[in-house]
């Protein structure tokens, strides 16, 4: 099964699925999630908010990860 768009941190190198992110693409990073300027924006200002830990479904996130992700969404609103 294909994984949802998630982030993996390795020596501070972030990936969105198979795509390595450039530092300029990362708008905001928390210990558990990241806000990325969309690689192929649908609309101007479109961002991707994703957990760093790969999960199959949102329900697999821990409560802390879900709260952090929600905080990332609120923070992303201030970026656009």
């Amino acid at each position: 099964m294909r994984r949802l768009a998630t982030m993996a941190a390795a020596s501070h190198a972030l990936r969105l699925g198979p795509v390595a992110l450039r530092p300029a693409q990362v708008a905001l990073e928390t210990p558990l999630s990241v806000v990325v300027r969309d690689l192929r924006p649908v609309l101007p200002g479109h961002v991707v908010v994703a957990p760093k830990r790969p999960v199959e479904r949102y329900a697999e996130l821990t409560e802390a990860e879900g709260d952090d992700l929600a905080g990332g969404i609120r923070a992303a609103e201030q970026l656009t």
Side-chain angles (χ1 to χ4, degrees):
M1 177 176 256
R2 197 171 150 211
R3 293 201 179 267
L4 297 175
T6 59
M7 309 307 286
S11 301
H12 205 39
L14 294 172
R15 301 186 69 77
L16 180 57
V19 179
L21 298 172
R22 296 183 313 272
Q25 292 173 297
V26 178
L28 174 71
E29 183 179 0
T30 73
L32 301 175
S33 62
V34 67
V35 177
V36 179
R37 290 175 182 86
D38 200 345
L39 304 175
R40 294 180 186 90
V42 175
L43 297 169
H46 190 252
V47 297
V48 173
V49 182
K52 288 183 176 178
R53 183 174 66 89
V55 295
E56 295 279 334
R57 293 181 172 76
Y58 179 83
E60 295 175 18
L61 295 173
T62 65
E63 185 174 348
E65 288 170 326
D67 291 346
D68 192 76
L69 199 63
I73 293 167
R74 287 190 297 278
E77 291 176 332
Q78 303 304 313
L79 298 173
T80 58

